[in-house]
Amino acid sequence: MNLDSSLTQLEMAQLVRRLTDPDLAYMFKHTLAQESVYESMLKSRRGELHRAVAQAIENVRGGQLEQDAAMLAWHYERAGQDDKAFTYAALAGDVAARAYAHQEALMFYDRALALAERLKTPELNDRVRAINANRGRVFEVAGQHLAAIENYRQMIAFAQRMGDLAMEADGLSYLLTAQGILGQTQDTDRELNRALELARQSGDPALVGRALWNIGLSIRFTNPERAADYFRQTLEHARANHLRELAAYALTDLAVELQFTGEWREAHGHILQALEEFRALDNQPMIANALGMLAESYHGRGEADPARAAAEEGYQISQAIENPWGMGYNEWSLLALDLQLGDFDRVFGRAEHLLAVAGALNVSLFKGMTHLHLARAYGALNQIELAQAAVEQADKFLSVMNLPFWPVATAAIHAQVLLEENKLAQARALLEPFWHDETNRQASIMGLALAGAIIPELAFAEGRLDDGLEFCDWLIARLEQEEARGYACELYYFRGLIRDRLGDANRAEQDLHRAAAITERAQNDLLRWRVQAALAKLYAARGETDRAQAARQRAVEPVRTIAGRISNPTWRAGFLQRKDVAEVLKSEGDRIGSALS
């Protein structure tokens, strides 16, 4: 009896059915029938058939075996050919990892590693090393950083059992990177030095480069300038040895350190280079990461449209590959953009989601920055107790980062809340350490860029105009030099107020016009109405009635838009009852306030 006749008989007996497939394919109608037939065969016969099926697939597919790797691994393992089962399980894992099918990739990598333990063949070490590296990356992309750390520890243990120094060095390097991402950098000096020693012994340029990079990661929060030096060394080494991906990683982390130290223009260029490289390499997680950094950089430059476009693209990529880190990083930028737009409903919605992501990842940075933005939002809505609570939460999470600029950022937002309550002395006590000390100013430059406008605001409120003017002159000059005009915008506004109070109306007008131009490009409606209200007062004092009226109208428009978007009646009332908002609305006969209350 030939094969066709046998299949026809089985089909007539209702045991199998033909599939609608271009190739000749059948399947059992019932799982129990399949299992019964399978178990009735001798084990040796089953192995022969599995081997025959696997070999047939290989012969038919030729060199195009990726799509069948999972099936081949299954057949060869049941045929008792662990070496070929290992090869195909590893390949199936790689295929799934490239498709960001995280659970499927981990399943195949686990199978391959179990087979490798059974085989214990030194010839497989290079492939085992790659599997562990890829498995760790899958965990990292999926936001499972603790699992990634455990993976690298297992990799090191396997390498030590096999006496493979190169694999041990690689595992230690990946371990230190994963720990660095979580800020677990305490007591790692010995491991960092050992990783560099092993890398040099191995003669592998990639390992040497990663070891240098990890040293930079270990000190990036405690010593940004020294970390930047290590990232420059890594970049130079990677380029000299044609390690394209490592060079892109080094560019990314160097840009972060440069942002920390206030070198925003150079950082922006490095981010653009890194993004171009990651796109060329099709490294989707790092494309999303670089887009988040780019969004943050454009935000600092006062360019809202490219900032939002970058963050939205990065968020969409991260969603598609199920990468919570990328989602958090890009949503952080979107949160900041929504806040300055005055879209409070979106701010609170994003903050809730971002805190959930940060909680799942256990990333203090995301938690702290989200609470810092929430404090500003609550302050703008005149919800002082909520703002105070958010500041305290921000300080709790950001203090563990050990970066010199976080204290000034949290102190400044805290001082802003105190200023809303007219507690000037307490606000001054918080800000004094960062005010006159040049060393503190330099170390805290990023924090001052983020929230330093509170210093001239306090000086204006206390009548210490010369102090406020001196601070604005210093920080505006630094920010303009770095093209960080988004950060400079509010400083221009307060310098305009100070100069007007000092009787220098012409230069005050110049500052306010500069602030107005930046608010338009930055889509900063929260500041735009205040700038226009200040211009209206300045024009009115000079008797320029028409210009004053036009500026008042330009102030009212964003107030109307902001208030109209606030769905919570208590918060909307809080915003409308702010003294500065009420003053703007008074010019309209309170029609807007009455309509929205």
Side-chain angles (χ1 to χ4, degrees):
M1 186 180 292
N2 60 30
L3 178 61
D4 287 340
S5 299
S6 298
L7 288 169
T8 300
Q9 285 191 6
L10 289 170
E11 193 172 10
M12 291 176 64
Q14 298 291 303
L15 290 173
V16 301
R17 63 182 177 85
R18 184 168 179 175
L19 302 178
T20 56
D21 192 280
D23 298 322
L24 185 63
Y26 287 80
M27 71 175 293
F28 281 93
K29 279 194 170 185
H30 303 288
T31 305
L32 288 176
Q34 179 184 4
E35 291 175 352
S36 178
V37 172
Y38 188 80
E39 293 299 330
S40 70
M41 289 191 295
L42 292 173
K43 189 175 181 180
S44 59
R45 179 59 178 157
R46 291 202 301 261
E48 289 172 5
L49 290 173
H50 279 299
R51 187 179 303 107
V53 171
Q55 290 172 346
I57 293 171
E58 288 177 323
N59 290 334
V60 169
R61 297 296 188 189
Q64 307 298 316
L65 295 171
E66 284 196 353
Q67 63 178 323
D68 298 304
M71 188 182 297
L72 287 165
W74 186 78
H75 281 300
Y76 272 123
E77 185 170 4
R78 279 149 187 77
Q81 288 190 240
D82 287 354
D83 54 342
K84 300 204 77 170
F86 166 83
T87 298
Y88 286 117
L91 179 58
D94 291 344
V95 171
R98 286 200 296 272
Y100 299 98
H102 304 315
Q103 295 308 313
E104 189 177 342
L106 292 171
M107 179 183 71
F108 286 119
Y109 285 145
D110 288 348
R111 193 70 232 126
L113 291 174
L115 289 163
E117 282 283 0
R118 205 151 70 200
L119 289 163
K120 286 188 169 60
T121 306
E123 288 76 16
L124 298 179
N125 282 6
D126 285 348
R127 194 69 186 99
V128 170
R129 174 179 163 186
I131 290 168
N132 274 297
N134 292 340
R135 184 173 183 263
R137 179 172 290 188
V138 170
F139 279 127
E140 289 172 0
V141 171
Q144 300 177 45
H145 294 283
L146 293 177
I149 287 171
E150 181 58 29
N151 170 81
Y152 298 133
R153 286 185 175 135
Q154 292 174 9
M155 179 180 178
I156 293 166
F158 182 88
Q160 290 172 341
R161 288 197 300 275
M162 300 298 291
D164 190 323
L165 287 179
M167 189 191 302
E168 183 182 356
D170 208 18
L172 186 55
S173 179
Y174 282 118
L175 173 64
L176 292 166
T177 302
Q179 289 175 328
I181 288 170
L182 292 184
Q184 298 177 0
T185 56
Q186 300 88 350
D187 305 320
T188 57
D189 287 352
R190 184 177 63 83
E191 287 83 357
L192 289 163
N193 291 329
R194 175 161 173 74
L196 185 56
E197 179 187 344
L198 288 171
R200 285 172 173 159
Q201 286 178 18
S202 73
D204 185 339
L207 288 179
V208 173
R210 284 189 63 87
L212 291 169
W213 180 46
N214 277 319
I215 294 172
L217 288 176
S218 73
I219 57 174
R220 61 179 175 164
F221 293 137
T222 55
N223 193 336
E225 291 183 352
R226 186 160 166 251
D229 287 340
Y230 274 104
F231 293 139
R232 286 191 178 95
Q233 289 181 50
T234 305
L235 180 60
E236 183 179 347
H237 174 88
R239 285 173 169 168
N241 290 278
H242 310 291
L243 302 170
R244 192 175 179 183
E245 189 167 57
L246 180 60
Y249 275 102
L251 278 169
T252 300
D253 287 305
L254 177 56
V256 172
E257 302 309 308
L258 292 172
Q259 287 177 326
F260 288 170
T261 55
E263 298 166 84
W264 293 284
R265 187 168 53 178
E266 185 181 350
H268 189 77
H270 288 331
I271 295 166
L272 290 171
Q273 288 180 54
L275 177 59
E276 183 180 355
E277 284 297 291
F278 286 129
R279 286 196 193 278
L281 295 164
D282 195 30
N283 185 331
Q284 293 292 308
M286 288 308 298
I287 292 171
N289 191 77
L291 284 166
M293 293 180 64
L294 188 61
E296 187 182 349
S297 182
Y298 275 128
H299 176 238
R301 294 164 73 90
E303 300 176 41
D305 285 336
R308 191 173 290 278
E312 287 177 347
E313 183 188 355
Y315 187 83
Q316 289 164 6
I317 290 170
S318 300
Q319 268 192 317
I321 64 175
E322 298 180 16
N323 178 10
W325 177 279
M327 285 189 278
Y329 201 172
N330 284 280
E331 193 157 34
W332 173 10
S333 293
L334 291 169
L335 175 61
L337 291 165
D338 289 340
L339 177 58
Q340 69 183 25
L341 190 60
D343 193 342
F344 291 105
D345 281 11
R346 291 180 70 179
V347 165
F348 292 119
R350 286 197 193 281
E352 183 179 2
H353 182 254
L354 189 49
L355 287 173
V357 171
L361 290 171
N362 196 27
V363 176
S364 295
L365 177 61
F366 291 167
K367 294 176 186 176
M369 285 302 295
T370 302
H371 282 295
L372 211 57
H373 287 314
L374 282 173
R376 300 189 83 157
Y378 286 130
L381 294 172
N382 210 17
Q383 306 299 309
I384 303 304
E385 289 185 7
L386 290 172
Q388 180 66 43
V391 168
E392 290 171 2
Q393 287 293 305
D395 186 54
K396 180 179 78 172
F397 290 117
L398 293 176
S399 62
V400 302
M401 303 300 294
N402 295 319
L403 271 168
F405 64 77
W406 290 128
V408 69
T410 53
I413 301 301
H414 190 184
Q416 194 165 41
V417 173
L418 292 170
L419 200 56
E420 295 284 349
E421 299 180 282
N422 205 34
K423 296 179 180 178
L424 305 187
Q426 289 176 251
R428 189 189 324 117
L430 280 173
L431 296 175
E432 199 67 41
F434 312 104
W435 194 313
H436 300 292
D437 188 329
E438 181 68 20
T439 303
N440 260 349
R441 280 188 183 182
Q442 286 299 129
S444 307
I445 187 68
M446 186 67 190
L448 292 172
L450 290 170
I454 186 62
I455 290 177
E457 183 176 4
L458 177 61
F460 183 77
E462 293 185 319
R464 292 181 294 110
L465 303 181
D466 288 339
D467 279 349
L469 185 61
E470 183 273 331
F471 181 84
C472 285
D473 287 346
W474 171 77
L475 189 50
I476 286 173
R478 178 69 184 270
L479 294 170
E480 280 288 354
Q481 179 184 342
E482 295 295 330
E483 300 175 1
R485 298 182 182 98
Y487 296 140
C489 186
E490 198 168 4
L491 292 160
Y492 275 115
Y493 166 68
F494 282 113
R495 192 169 72 176
L497 296 185
I498 290 169
R499 281 176 164 168
D500 188 43
R501 179 79 62 84
L502 289 169
D504 191 351
N506 289 335
R507 296 178 75 187
E509 183 181 4
Q510 290 174 8
D511 278 336
L512 292 172
H513 276 302
R514 180 66 168 148
I518 298 171
T519 61
E520 291 295 327
R521 192 171 66 251
Q523 297 173 16
N524 190 341
D525 280 6
L526 271 185
L527 183 60
R528 184 157 65 100
W529 66 267
R530 297 166 70 193
V531 172
Q532 293 299 332
L535 281 168
K537 284 184 180 180
L538 187 148
Y539 295 143
R542 292 200 305 217
E544 299 178 41
T545 306
D546 290 344
R547 295 183 76 188
Q549 179 57 34
R552 276 194 293 270
Q553 185 57 41
R554 288 193 297 271
V556 166
E557 289 170 4
V559 168
R560 178 192 291 118
T561 301
I562 291 169
R565 282 193 297 236
I566 302 171
S567 61
N568 184 307
T570 302
W571 293 348
R572 183 169 62 247
F575 175 70
L576 292 171
Q577 289 163 10
R578 285 175 56 108
K579 184 179 177 181
D580 45 7
V581 173
E583 192 172 328
V584 168
L585 295 181
K586 192 180 297 181
S587 66
E588 291 291 299
D590 228 5
R591 292 191 302 274
I592 297 169
S594 299
L596 291 169
S597 293

PDB file of all heavy atoms in Angstrom, residues 253-274:
ATOM      1  N   ASP A 253      25.235  57.512  26.287  1.00  0.00           N
ATOM      2  CA  ASP A 253      25.530  57.777  27.700  1.00  0.00           C
ATOM      3  C   ASP A 253      26.406  59.013  27.877  1.00  0.00           C
ATOM      4  O   ASP A 253      26.289  59.710  28.887  1.00  0.00           O
ATOM      5  CB  ASP A 253      26.180  56.543  28.329  1.00  0.00           C
ATOM      6  CG  ASP A 253      25.169  55.428  28.528  1.00  0.00           C
ATOM      7  OD1 ASP A 253      24.144  55.666  29.179  1.00  0.00           O
ATOM      8  OD2 ASP A 253      25.390  54.321  28.014  1.00  0.00           O
ATOM      9  N   LEU A 254      27.262  59.289  26.917  1.00  0.00           N
ATOM     10  CA  LEU A 254      28.036  60.529  26.966  1.00  0.00           C
ATOM     11  C   LEU A 254      27.091  61.729  26.898  1.00  0.00           C
ATOM     12  O   LEU A 254      27.269  62.718  27.628  1.00  0.00           O
ATOM     13  CB  LEU A 254      29.038  60.568  25.814  1.00  0.00           C
ATOM     14  CG  LEU A 254      29.877  61.846  25.681  1.00  0.00           C
ATOM     15  CD1 LEU A 254      30.644  62.144  26.961  1.00  0.00           C
ATOM     16  CD2 LEU A 254      30.831  61.744  24.490  1.00  0.00           C
ATOM     17  N   ALA A 255      26.069  61.634  26.051  1.00  0.00           N
ATOM     18  CA  ALA A 255      25.098  62.730  25.948  1.00  0.00           C
ATOM     19  C   ALA A 255      24.386  62.965  27.276  1.00  0.00           C
ATOM     20  O   ALA A 255      24.152  64.116  27.674  1.00  0.00           O
ATOM     21  CB  ALA A 255      24.077  62.414  24.851  1.00  0.00           C
ATOM     22  N   VAL A 256      24.050  61.875  27.977  1.00  0.00           N
ATOM     23  CA  VAL A 256      23.389  62.024  29.278  1.00  0.00           C
ATOM     24  C   VAL A 256      24.284  62.787  30.251  1.00  0.00           C
ATOM     25  O   VAL A 256      23.842  63.717  30.936  1.00  0.00           O
ATOM     26  CB  VAL A 256      23.029  60.639  29.866  1.00  0.00           C
ATOM     27  CG1 VAL A 256      22.518  60.780  31.302  1.00  0.00           C
ATOM     28  CG2 VAL A 256      21.966  59.965  29.007  1.00  0.00           C
ATOM     29  N   GLU A 257      25.549  62.403  30.302  1.00  0.00           N
ATOM     30  CA  GLU A 257      26.469  63.072  31.231  1.00  0.00           C
ATOM     31  C   GLU A 257      26.658  64.535  30.867  1.00  0.00           C
ATOM     32  O   GLU A 257      26.756  65.403  31.743  1.00  0.00           O
ATOM     33  CB  GLU A 257      27.826  62.357  31.241  1.00  0.00           C
ATOM     34  CG  GLU A 257      27.777  60.892  31.631  1.00  0.00           C
ATOM     35  CD  GLU A 257      27.022  60.649  32.918  1.00  0.00           C
ATOM     36  OE1 GLU A 257      27.324  61.297  33.942  1.00  0.00           O
ATOM     37  OE2 GLU A 257      26.102  59.797  32.911  1.00  0.00           O
ATOM     38  N   LEU A 258      26.704  64.828  29.565  1.00  0.00           N
ATOM     39  CA  LEU A 258      26.861  66.214  29.131  1.00  0.00           C
ATOM     40  C   LEU A 258      25.635  67.046  29.498  1.00  0.00           C
ATOM     41  O   LEU A 258      25.748  68.226  29.841  1.00  0.00           O
ATOM     42  CB  LEU A 258      27.110  66.265  27.621  1.00  0.00           C
ATOM     43  CG  LEU A 258      28.462  65.697  27.167  1.00  0.00           C
ATOM     44  CD1 LEU A 258      28.523  65.613  25.646  1.00  0.00           C
ATOM     45  CD2 LEU A 258      29.621  66.537  27.694  1.00  0.00           C
ATOM     46  N   GLN A 259      24.450  66.431  29.438  1.00  0.00           N
ATOM     47  CA  GLN A 259      23.248  67.134  29.896  1.00  0.00           C
ATOM     48  C   GLN A 259      23.343  67.414  31.396  1.00  0.00           C
ATOM     49  O   GLN A 259      22.978  68.495  31.858  1.00  0.00           O
ATOM     50  CB  GLN A 259      22.000  66.294  29.593  1.00  0.00           C
ATOM     51  CG  GLN A 259      21.634  66.252  28.121  1.00  0.00           C
ATOM     52  CD  GLN A 259      20.443  65.342  27.859  1.00  0.00           C
ATOM     53  OE1 GLN A 259      20.251  64.329  28.521  1.00  0.00           O
ATOM     54  NE2 GLN A 259      19.646  65.680  26.863  1.00  0.00           N
ATOM     55  N   PHE A 260      23.834  66.444  32.156  1.00  0.00           N
ATOM     56  CA  PHE A 260      23.991  66.637  33.597  1.00  0.00           C
ATOM     57  C   PHE A 260      24.902  67.820  33.907  1.00  0.00           C
ATOM     58  O   PHE A 260      24.681  68.551  34.873  1.00  0.00           O
ATOM     59  CB  PHE A 260      24.585  65.380  34.249  1.00  0.00           C
ATOM     60  CG  PHE A 260      23.640  64.211  34.334  1.00  0.00           C
ATOM     61  CD1 PHE A 260      24.111  62.960  34.702  1.00  0.00           C
ATOM     62  CD2 PHE A 260      22.293  64.348  34.059  1.00  0.00           C
ATOM     63  CE1 PHE A 260      23.259  61.868  34.798  1.00  0.00           C
ATOM     64  CE2 PHE A 260      21.430  63.259  34.146  1.00  0.00           C
ATOM     65  CZ  PHE A 260      21.918  62.019  34.519  1.00  0.00           C
ATOM     66  N   THR A 261      25.953  67.993  33.098  1.00  0.00           N
ATOM     67  CA  THR A 261      26.938  69.043  33.374  1.00  0.00           C
ATOM     68  C   THR A 261      26.669  70.334  32.587  1.00  0.00           C
ATOM     69  O   THR A 261      27.502  71.231  32.556  1.00  0.00           O
ATOM     70  CB  THR A 261      28.357  68.538  33.058  1.00  0.00           C
ATOM     71  OG1 THR A 261      28.413  68.050  31.705  1.00  0.00           O
ATOM     72  CG2 THR A 261      28.753  67.410  34.003  1.00  0.00           C
ATOM     73  N   GLY A 262      25.489  70.402  31.930  1.00  0.00           N
ATOM     74  CA  GLY A 262      25.089  71.638  31.275  1.00  0.00           C
ATOM     75  C   GLY A 262      25.703  71.875  29.915  1.00  0.00           C
ATOM     76  O   GLY A 262      25.694  73.006  29.416  1.00  0.00           O
ATOM     77  N   GLU A 263      26.183  70.831  29.252  1.00  0.00           N
ATOM     78  CA  GLU A 263      26.758  70.970  27.905  1.00  0.00           C
ATOM     79  C   GLU A 263      25.733  70.445  26.903  1.00  0.00           C
ATOM     80  O   GLU A 263      25.948  69.455  26.220  1.00  0.00           O
ATOM     81  CB  GLU A 263      28.084  70.212  27.840  1.00  0.00           C
ATOM     82  CG  GLU A 263      29.123  70.773  28.808  1.00  0.00           C
ATOM     83  CD  GLU A 263      30.316  69.855  29.021  1.00  0.00           C
ATOM     84  OE1 GLU A 263      31.246  69.912  28.196  1.00  0.00           O
ATOM     85  OE2 GLU A 263      30.315  69.087  30.006  1.00  0.00           O
ATOM     86  N   TRP A 264      24.600  71.161  26.820  1.00  0.00           N
ATOM     87  CA  TRP A 264      23.437  70.669  26.084  1.00  0.00           C
ATOM     88  C   TRP A 264      23.640  70.654  24.570  1.00  0.00           C
ATOM     89  O   TRP A 264      23.106  69.770  23.898  1.00  0.00           O
ATOM     90  CB  TRP A 264      22.220  71.520  26.429  1.00  0.00           C
ATOM     91  CG  TRP A 264      21.773  71.360  27.846  1.00  0.00           C
ATOM     92  CD1 TRP A 264      21.079  70.302  28.374  1.00  0.00           C
ATOM     93  CD2 TRP A 264      21.979  72.268  28.926  1.00  0.00           C
ATOM     94  NE1 TRP A 264      20.856  70.499  29.716  1.00  0.00           N
ATOM     95  CE2 TRP A 264      21.392  71.702  30.086  1.00  0.00           C
ATOM     96  CE3 TRP A 264      22.600  73.504  29.040  1.00  0.00           C
ATOM     97  CZ2 TRP A 264      21.402  72.326  31.326  1.00  0.00           C
ATOM     98  CZ3 TRP A 264      22.613  74.139  30.280  1.00  0.00           C
ATOM     99  CH2 TRP A 264      22.019  73.548  31.402  1.00  0.00           C
ATOM    100  N   ARG A 265      24.380  71.596  24.047  1.00  0.00           N
ATOM    101  CA  ARG A 265      24.542  71.654  22.591  1.00  0.00           C
ATOM    102  C   ARG A 265      25.312  70.439  22.076  1.00  0.00           C
ATOM    103  O   ARG A 265      24.910  69.797  21.103  1.00  0.00           O
ATOM    104  CB  ARG A 265      25.259  72.953  22.197  1.00  0.00           C
ATOM    105  CG  ARG A 265      25.326  73.174  20.693  1.00  0.00           C
ATOM    106  CD  ARG A 265      25.779  74.575  20.362  1.00  0.00           C
ATOM    107  NE  ARG A 265      27.023  74.935  21.035  1.00  0.00           N
ATOM    108  CZ  ARG A 265      27.646  76.102  20.888  1.00  0.00           C
ATOM    109  NH1 ARG A 265      27.109  77.028  20.117  1.00  0.00           N
ATOM    110  NH2 ARG A 265      28.762  76.359  21.520  1.00  0.00           N
ATOM    111  N   GLU A 266      26.438  70.113  22.743  1.00  0.00           N
ATOM    112  CA  GLU A 266      27.205  68.933  22.339  1.00  0.00           C
ATOM    113  C   GLU A 266      26.381  67.670  22.551  1.00  0.00           C
ATOM    114  O   GLU A 266      26.401  66.749  21.724  1.00  0.00           O
ATOM    115  CB  GLU A 266      28.513  68.845  23.139  1.00  0.00           C
ATOM    116  CG  GLU A 266      29.410  67.702  22.694  1.00  0.00           C
ATOM    117  CD  GLU A 266      30.696  67.597  23.504  1.00  0.00           C
ATOM    118  OE1 GLU A 266      30.995  68.526  24.284  1.00  0.00           O
ATOM    119  OE2 GLU A 266      31.391  66.565  23.365  1.00  0.00           O
ATOM    120  N   ALA A 267      25.630  67.622  23.647  1.00  0.00           N
ATOM    121  CA  ALA A 267      24.795  66.452  23.935  1.00  0.00           C
ATOM    122  C   ALA A 267      23.771  66.238  22.819  1.00  0.00           C
ATOM    123  O   ALA A 267      23.544  65.099  22.383  1.00  0.00           O
ATOM    124  CB  ALA A 267      24.081  66.636  25.267  1.00  0.00           C
ATOM    125  N   HIS A 268      23.166  67.322  22.347  1.00  0.00           N
ATOM    126  CA  HIS A 268      22.154  67.217  21.288  1.00  0.00           C
ATOM    127  C   HIS A 268      22.747  66.581  20.028  1.00  0.00           C
ATOM    128  O   HIS A 268      22.127  65.696  19.416  1.00  0.00           O
ATOM    129  CB  HIS A 268      21.603  68.614  20.973  1.00  0.00           C
ATOM    130  CG  HIS A 268      20.415  68.597  20.059  1.00  0.00           C
ATOM    131  ND1 HIS A 268      19.153  68.262  20.477  1.00  0.00           N
ATOM    132  CD2 HIS A 268      20.313  68.882  18.727  1.00  0.00           C
ATOM    133  CE1 HIS A 268      18.314  68.345  19.460  1.00  0.00           C
ATOM    134  NE2 HIS A 268      18.984  68.716  18.388  1.00  0.00           N
ATOM    135  N   GLY A 269      23.943  66.994  19.674  1.00  0.00           N
ATOM    136  CA  GLY A 269      24.601  66.421  18.500  1.00  0.00           C
ATOM    137  C   GLY A 269      24.882  64.940  18.670  1.00  0.00           C
ATOM    138  O   GLY A 269      24.691  64.143  17.735  1.00  0.00           O
ATOM    139  N   HIS A 270      25.316  64.534  19.861  1.00  0.00           N
ATOM    140  CA  HIS A 270      25.592  63.117  20.119  1.00  0.00           C
ATOM    141  C   HIS A 270      24.312  62.282  20.048  1.00  0.00           C
ATOM    142  O   HIS A 270      24.329  61.146  19.562  1.00  0.00           O
ATOM    143  CB  HIS A 270      26.240  62.945  21.493  1.00  0.00           C
ATOM    144  CG  HIS A 270      27.658  63.437  21.558  1.00  0.00           C
ATOM    145  ND1 HIS A 270      28.506  63.438  20.469  1.00  0.00           N
ATOM    146  CD2 HIS A 270      28.395  63.930  22.601  1.00  0.00           C
ATOM    147  CE1 HIS A 270      29.689  63.910  20.823  1.00  0.00           C
ATOM    148  NE2 HIS A 270      29.650  64.218  22.117  1.00  0.00           N
ATOM    149  N   ILE A 271      23.203  62.832  20.558  1.00  0.00           N
ATOM    150  CA  ILE A 271      21.932  62.095  20.515  1.00  0.00           C
ATOM    151  C   ILE A 271      21.515  61.851  19.063  1.00  0.00           C
ATOM    152  O   ILE A 271      21.086  60.749  18.702  1.00  0.00           O
ATOM    153  CB  ILE A 271      20.830  62.870  21.267  1.00  0.00           C
ATOM    154  CG1 ILE A 271      21.169  62.959  22.758  1.00  0.00           C
ATOM    155  CG2 ILE A 271      19.475  62.179  21.091  1.00  0.00           C
ATOM    156  CD1 ILE A 271      20.330  63.986  23.510  1.00  0.00           C
ATOM    157  N   LEU A 272      21.633  62.878  18.221  1.00  0.00           N
ATOM    158  CA  LEU A 272      21.274  62.719  16.810  1.00  0.00           C
ATOM    159  C   LEU A 272      22.144  61.667  16.142  1.00  0.00           C
ATOM    160  O   LEU A 272      21.646  60.838  15.358  1.00  0.00           O
ATOM    161  CB  LEU A 272      21.411  64.063  16.088  1.00  0.00           C
ATOM    162  CG  LEU A 272      20.372  65.130  16.459  1.00  0.00           C
ATOM    163  CD1 LEU A 272      20.760  66.474  15.847  1.00  0.00           C
ATOM    164  CD2 LEU A 272      18.976  64.718  15.989  1.00  0.00           C
ATOM    165  N   GLN A 273      23.451  61.661  16.446  1.00  0.00           N
ATOM    166  CA  GLN A 273      24.348  60.646  15.883  1.00  0.00           C
ATOM    167  C   GLN A 273      23.962  59.253  16.349  1.00  0.00           C
ATOM    168  O   GLN A 273      23.926  58.293  15.559  1.00  0.00           O
ATOM    169  CB  GLN A 273      25.792  60.930  16.296  1.00  0.00           C
ATOM    170  CG  GLN A 273      26.443  62.117  15.630  1.00  0.00           C
ATOM    171  CD  GLN A 273      27.871  62.302  16.123  1.00  0.00           C
ATOM    172  OE1 GLN A 273      28.681  61.381  16.066  1.00  0.00           O
ATOM    173  NE2 GLN A 273      28.180  63.477  16.630  1.00  0.00           N
ATOM    174  N   ALA A 274      23.699  59.114  17.653  1.00  0.00           N
ATOM    175  CA  ALA A 274      23.343  57.808  18.214  1.00  0.00           C
ATOM    176  C   ALA A 274      22.054  57.288  17.585  1.00  0.00           C
ATOM    177  O   ALA A 274      21.950  56.101  17.231  1.00  0.00           O
ATOM    178  CB  ALA A 274      23.206  57.903  19.729  1.00  0.00           C
TER     179      ALA A 274
END
